Amino acid sequence: MPRATRINVLLLCLLSGGLWILAWPTMGGLTPLAFVAWLPMFLAEELHHQRTLSRKRAFAPYAMAGLVLWNFSTTYWLGVVQEPWPTRLLSGGFPTVGNTLLMALPFILARWLRGAAGTRAAQYGFIVLWLSFEHLHFDWDLQWPWLTLGHVFSTRTSWVQWYELTGALGGSLWVLLINLFLFRAYMAHREARARDGRLALASAGLLLIVPLAASAWRYATYVPQGNTMEVVVVQPNVDPYHEKFGGMDPLVQLDRMLDQAAAMMTDSTALVVMPETALQEKASLARERNGDLVLQGLWENDLEASRSVERMRRFLQQRPGTALLTGMSSALLYPAGKGRTGTARPLGGSEAYFDAFNAALMIDARRPARSYHKSKLVAGVEKVPFESVLGKLDGLAIDMGGTTGSLGEQEDRTVFRSALDPRIAVAPLICYESVFGDHVAAHVRNGATLLAIMTNDGWWGTSPGYRQHLHYGRLRAVENRRDIARSANTGVSCFIDQRGDLHQTTEFWVPAALRGEVRLNTRITFFTRYGDQVGRIALLFAVLVLLNGLVKQGQKKRV
């Protein structure tokens, strides 16, 4: 064992951060390192404990050194936007620093537990505390579950076919337990406890081999479910900085996308999918001579009146058996004196208010246009955190094109159905939403037989961000056993099957269109039906562990 010095504690924590970088998808891609990546951190805590027996010293600063290295190296791309340096520092630095601080909480609490309830309680307590952190990090104003440990297997979906039972946090639990048992085996060896060491090593081995073997069998024997349907996916490759939000006429953009789709369509094409914010016809108002306001553009009060929807209607007249699903930037007007949401903003020069949305639109020949509002919004860009407590803070929002400030959202998990084809029941997943397992499962519980990911990943250039986002979607396919049609403005567009395998992947930053067959599965997986039970159970145990620590601490004080 290394000497119990400050520098060794620090170096071991940095080594843990480095191992996570090497293990992470699109970084090092050495996935097996995830099973040992926490070992140096656990050893560092043990050395720190030994050197501070006679005086209390915090371990968190050392842990944060490794955590910030991991966070920065895997998500540095958040700061490579083509914006002024203050915006770059905010968009890249805030998630890194904030996520590092949140990740440090399980270490801080586990350190306290060790003093209050002993080493074993602290070790298992750390596992449930970490899982609780991940579970809670999926659903609050600063949600950022990008580095959920279970995502490390997103490029190795053949290893985790059992995510259909557990979701991604099952992978987190897998990693944590193997790391812990390997550490316990190492400590038993150092302390000449041979029997304990063999038991811990055997436990780690079984925990590694059994899930891998079960997953390999499931992957090899799984038969894709559902009837087939032909889908066309469009990748227009519109520059998000210089063309999409003002540099190119919105209807010119739409015509190009429709031309791309038409070139790939056949008489059997049932659905065309276009990317996030594909429709950019500005929502504006005109005033008639009598003083009445006239809605122009993508107002959800009357989408059929927009030139974009009218253009798509004409396109579908020649293809009456096809439905169109696309992303759009839209708005909803609340007349003066009418009810409005907390995210509504005043309409200049009037007493009316309006909401702005990052939305999806579904249109076919027999039904009015329908919309869905993105519900997992990016903190700082699409949602200003804690406005319900702090009030309107739109001035702090990061301008990344389009509408800034807090966008509107919705609670319902919409499933778009087509009147033309009863097979079509598609969940619209807009960009970041595809990272949230429970969120996607809610769409499927509502009847979705197909997932459609619509995204615009061109903001971060050729950095690892767009490839990480692509692979995370593969886990949603496994969790729910649903095919995915993925339309990305600048790439990567593709199809993903129910085992999480990629098909027909496009190149990045080129225009493209794909035609493929997807399967429409109606069966519900355990994870789809019950959601993230691993996280919920861990949260319960975390509360019990902390209460036990408080009781033990109180008993010690009384003694």
Side-chain angles (χ1 to χ4, degrees):
M1 183 181 291
R3 293 175 57 203
T5 63
R6 289 181 180 178
I7 189 64
N8 283 342
V9 171
L10 176 61
L11 290 175
L12 285 168
C13 290
L14 292 174
L15 177 58
S16 256
L19 289 173
W20 275 118
I21 296 165
L22 293 174
W24 210 253
T26 77
M27 300 303 296
L30 301 175
T31 313
L33 290 179
F35 297 116
V36 297
W38 282 133
L39 289 183
M41 190 81 78
F42 291 166
L43 181 56
E45 194 279 331
E46 179 63 30
L47 295 180
H48 183 74
H49 179 73
Q50 292 179 10
R51 60 179 293 273
T52 59
L53 283 173
S54 59
R55 60 196 189 283
K56 291 185 177 181
R57 293 289 186 275
F59 176 65
Y62 299 100
M64 284 192 287
L67 295 172
V68 76
L69 176 64
W70 173 26
N71 274 266
F72 174 77
S73 298
T74 50
T75 60
Y76 73 89
W77 45 268
L78 289 166
V80 301
V81 293
Q82 295 178 29
E83 299 290 342
W85 274 106
T87 300
R88 294 187 185 192
L89 291 173
L90 185 60
S91 64
F94 181 76
T96 295
V97 174
N99 211 47
T100 295
L101 293 172
L102 292 170
M103 283 181 166
L105 289 176
F107 288 96
I108 293 170
L109 291 172
R111 177 78 178 156
W112 169 78
L113 271 174
R114 185 166 188 173
T119 299
R120 184 180 292 268
Q123 289 175 344
Y124 290 104
F126 173 76
I127 290 178
V128 295
L129 288 165
W130 184 276
L131 292 172
S132 298
F133 149 70
E134 289 192 344
H135 176 71
L136 295 172
H137 211 16
F138 277 94
D139 195 21
W140 69 310
D141 279 16
L142 292 178
Q143 58 201 10
W144 178 242
W146 202 265
L147 296 183
T148 298
L149 298 183
H151 287 164
V152 76
F153 302 110
S154 60
T155 57
R156 314 265 186 182
T157 53
S158 62
W159 292 14
V160 289
Q161 293 294 298
W162 40 267
Y163 274 18
E164 65 183 335
L165 301 174
T166 69
L169 261 67
S172 300
L173 176 60
W174 193 30
V175 165
L176 289 164
L177 284 173
I178 290 175
N179 273 275
L180 175 59
F181 280 116
L182 288 176
F183 175 68
R184 289 174 66 89
Y186 172 78
M187 291 303 298
H189 171 73
R190 295 294 306 177
E191 296 168 3
R193 294 182 286 110
R195 183 177 177 278
D196 290 344
R198 288 193 298 269
L199 181 60
L201 194 59
S203 298
L206 284 172
L207 279 170
L208 178 64
I209 294 169
V210 172
L212 280 175
S215 184
W217 174 82
R218 181 64 168 156
Y219 181 84
T221 60
Y222 180 78
V223 178
Q225 304 293 313
N227 297 323
T228 60
M229 182 179 76
E230 185 175 284
V231 177
V232 167
V233 167
V234 177
Q235 178 176 306
N237 199 48
V238 180
D239 189 320
Y241 290 104
H242 305 112
E243 296 177 330
K244 173 164 281 297
F245 301 103
M248 182 189 297
D249 185 276
L251 294 179
V252 171
Q253 295 182 41
L254 175 57
D255 285 340
R256 289 186 180 183
M257 286 183 278
L258 294 177
D259 288 343
Q260 286 179 276
M264 295 299 295
M265 293 173 67
T266 71
D267 291 341
S268 299
T269 302
L271 180 67
V272 173
V273 183
M274 299 192 298
E276 177 186 19
T277 61
L279 305 185
Q280 281 297 313
E281 184 185 351
K282 185 177 180 181
S284 60
L285 294 173
R287 193 175 293 276
E288 294 183 334
R289 290 183 178 180
N290 62 5
D292 291 341
L293 290 176
V294 178
L295 304 179
Q296 297 178 335
L298 290 167
W299 288 102
E300 294 192 15
N301 307 73
D302 189 7
L303 284 169
E304 296 292 337
S306 71
R307 291 182 297 163
S308 299
V309 172
E310 187 273 334
R311 194 73 56 95
M312 290 189 291
R313 288 280 182 209
R314 276 191 284 144
F315 177 83
L316 292 177
Q317 283 177 359
Q318 303 171 27
R319 302 159 184 87
T322 303
L324 270 171
L325 174 61
T326 181
M328 67 173 176
S329 296
S330 64
L332 179 65
L333 181 68
Y334 305 103
K338 301 293 184 180
R340 62 178 187 267
T341 66
T343 55
R345 59 195 76 192
L347 185 66
S350 75
E351 296 181 359
Y353 281 74
F354 74 99
D355 257 321
F357 303 105
N358 185 349
L361 177 143
M362 178 80 159
I363 182 173
D364 61 47
R366 295 185 186 174
R367 285 184 179 174
R370 289 148 287 153
S371 64
Y372 163 75
H373 305 143
K374 182 180 180 184
S375 304
K376 290 295 184 181
L377 301 174
V378 179
V381 178
E382 298 175 315
K383 182 185 182 79
V384 179
F386 310 118
E387 278 194 321
S388 60
V389 177
L390 302 176
K392 282 287 186 182
L393 299 168
D394 286 357
L396 300 181
I398 301 171
D399 186 355
M400 293 283 287
T403 305
T404 60
S406 287
L407 301 184
E409 52 190 298
Q410 68 177 64
E411 291 296 325
D412 296 337
R413 301 298 169 244
T414 297
V415 175
F416 286 132
R417 290 176 169 85
S418 172
L420 304 171
D421 190 337
R423 299 175 302 167
I424 298 177
V426 57
L429 307 176
I430 302 174
C431 189
Y432 187 46
E433 291 184 316
S434 63
V435 182
F436 296 78
D438 256 353
H439 174 88
V440 176
H443 282 281
V444 180
R445 282 195 297 275
N446 286 343
T449 58
L450 173 68
L451 308 179
I453 296 176
M454 297 167 285
T455 187
N456 178 18
D457 294 335
W459 301 109
W460 298 282
T462 56
S463 67
Y466 78 94
R467 286 174 284 139
Q468 292 172 3
H469 190 205
L470 164 69
H471 291 298
Y472 291 170
R474 300 170 65 182
L475 300 179
R476 309 292 86 83
V478 174
E479 289 169 348
N480 299 283
R481 295 301 183 189
R482 292 295 187 269
D483 280 30
I484 296 175
R486 189 178 200 270
S487 173
N489 173 35
T490 56
V492 172
S493 300
C494 64
F495 296 100
I496 305 175
D497 66 25
Q498 295 167 23
R499 297 191 302 181
D501 293 334
L502 300 173
H503 301 277
Q504 298 188 57
T505 55
T506 62
E507 296 297 323
F508 189 64
W509 214 265
V510 295
L514 306 172
R515 182 178 64 245
E517 284 198 341
V518 297
R519 287 189 174 272
L520 306 174
N521 188 11
T522 59
R523 298 184 181 182
I524 299 295
T525 67
F526 183 90
F527 176 78
T528 301
R529 187 177 302 279
Y530 297 107
D532 180 25
Q533 292 299 324
V534 172
R536 295 184 186 102
I537 293 170
L539 188 58
L540 172 63
F541 276 98
V543 171
L544 294 176
V545 164
L546 292 175
L547 289 175
N548 179 60
L550 289 171
V551 171
K552 293 289 182 65
Q553 188 178 58
Q555 290 173 344
K556 288 182 178 180
K557 287 182 178 179
R558 285 194 295 271
V559 172

